[in-house]
Amino acid sequence: QSVLTQPPSASGTPGQRVTISCSGSSSNIGSNYVYWYQQLPGTAPKLLIYRNNQRPSGVPDRFSGSKSGTSASLAISGLRSEDEADYYCAVWDDSLSGWVFGGGTKLTVL
Amino acid sequence: QVQLQESGPGLVKPSQTLSLTCTVSGGSISSGGYYWSWIRQHPGKGLEWIGYIYYSGSTYYNPSLKNLVNISADTSKNQFSLNLSSVTAADTAVYYCARGSLSKEPRFDYWGQGTLVTVSS
């Protein structure tokens, strides 16, 4: 069981907006920055969102992140078929003194 | 452009030591404030951070694996390595090396392609 809780799956149709949640605690999300990674099938994860809501260069503005209290969310607007991937949240946990990842959410574009 | 490449045996017997090497190109592992990390992904599962070696040579490990893990570096070859001892089938996973760029923030901006290690007799 992961320290961070994500729904195992999410889905949407092209053009829709979907959100993926990540729930944690005061020792991780509540006190540290949240990151999001996208993992396309058969590839390594790729940094998608850093410091809660910042996008690295090259990441479309269709992807956005937010954080409130001990939860965070990733939103994808204008859903496209190439967004079909696994998405992971990540954060530093003060209690564990280490980086932790969520269990991942498999996004299906219908 | 920084590139990372994992190498090592794809099959390890139970109770033995899993040894992997990550070769870095496009940048030196001994310069800059980077955290050269190992992360694994069990089949069909999520990601688990294993540990890192800092550019200065200091190491830090996931507390759940601390007694079994050793990460070292060979700066002359621009490589860093993972040793995981007393492996069991539960250590079967894809192992990634990655470059972390911030302390206490999981900012991994470069990753290797990953290598599958199966623990089986």
Side-chain angles (χ1 to χ4, degrees):
Chain A
Q1 291 80 357
S2 301
V3 171
L4 305 177
T5 301
Q6 296 181 236
S9 64
S11 63
T13 56
Q16 266 191 333
R17 181 178 187 271
V18 297
T19 61
I20 296 171
S21 62
C22 176
S23 177
S25 67
S26 58
S27 67
N28 43 65
I29 293 178
S31 50
N32 294 295
Y33 287 117
V34 178
Y35 283 60
W36 290 91
Y37 288 85
Q38 177 193 57
Q39 186 176 33
L40 297 170
T43 68
K46 167 193 165 187
L47 180 62
L48 196 64
I49 296 287
Y50 68 97
R51 291 195 167 180
N52 303 334
N53 54 21
Q54 302 299 302
R55 285 185 308 277
S57 121
V59 173
D61 59 5
R62 301 186 296 104
F63 294 90
S64 62
S66 64
K67 182 183 115 169
S68 178
T70 59
S71 293
S73 291
L74 172 71
I76 309 171
S77 59
L79 198 61
R80 306 172 78 162
S81 58
E82 56 260 40
D83 298 333
E84 192 160 282
D86 294 326
Y87 293 85
Y88 295 91
C89 56
V91 68
W92 175 267
D93 189 292
D94 293 329
S95 295
L96 298 177
S97 292
W99 292 310
V100 292
F101 291 88
T105 297
K106 182 176 185 62
L107 175 64
T108 301
V109 181
L110 302 170
Chain B
Q1 176 81 344
V2 175
Q3 292 185 311
L4 294 86
Q5 177 69 57
E6 305 90 350
S7 59
L11 180 65
V12 180
K13 288 182 167 45
S15 80
Q16 293 189 341
T17 296
L18 179 160
S19 296
L20 295 174
T21 295
C22 182
T23 301
V24 180
S25 58
S28 170
I29 65 170
S30 56
S31 66
Y34 296 115
Y35 301 81
W36 301 97
S37 302
W38 288 97
I39 295 164
R40 68 181 179 179
Q41 185 169 32
H42 295 101
K45 302 293 185 184
L47 301 162
E48 179 182 30
W49 169 69
I50 298 171
Y52 67 69
I53 184 163
Y54 192 40
Y55 81 106
S56 62
S58 61
T59 55
Y60 192 71
Y61 305 127
N62 185 325
S64 69
L65 298 169
K66 184 177 179 180
N67 295 331
L68 302 171
V69 175
N70 184 63
I71 297 176
S72 59
D74 185 339
T75 55
S76 67
K77 296 181 179 178
N78 216 33
Q79 297 174 332
F80 64 103
S81 298
L82 168 70
N83 280 338
L84 180 64
S85 61
S86 304
V87 296
T88 69
D91 295 305
T92 293
V94 174
Y95 286 76
Y96 294 99
C97 57
R99 189 184 84 169
S101 54
L102 290 169
S103 171
K104 297 191 178 183
E105 292 186 39
R107 180 167 187 148
F108 301 104
D109 46 7
Y110 292 100
W111 296 66
Q113 65 185 27
T115 187
L116 174 63
V117 179
T118 301
V119 178
S120 175
S121 55

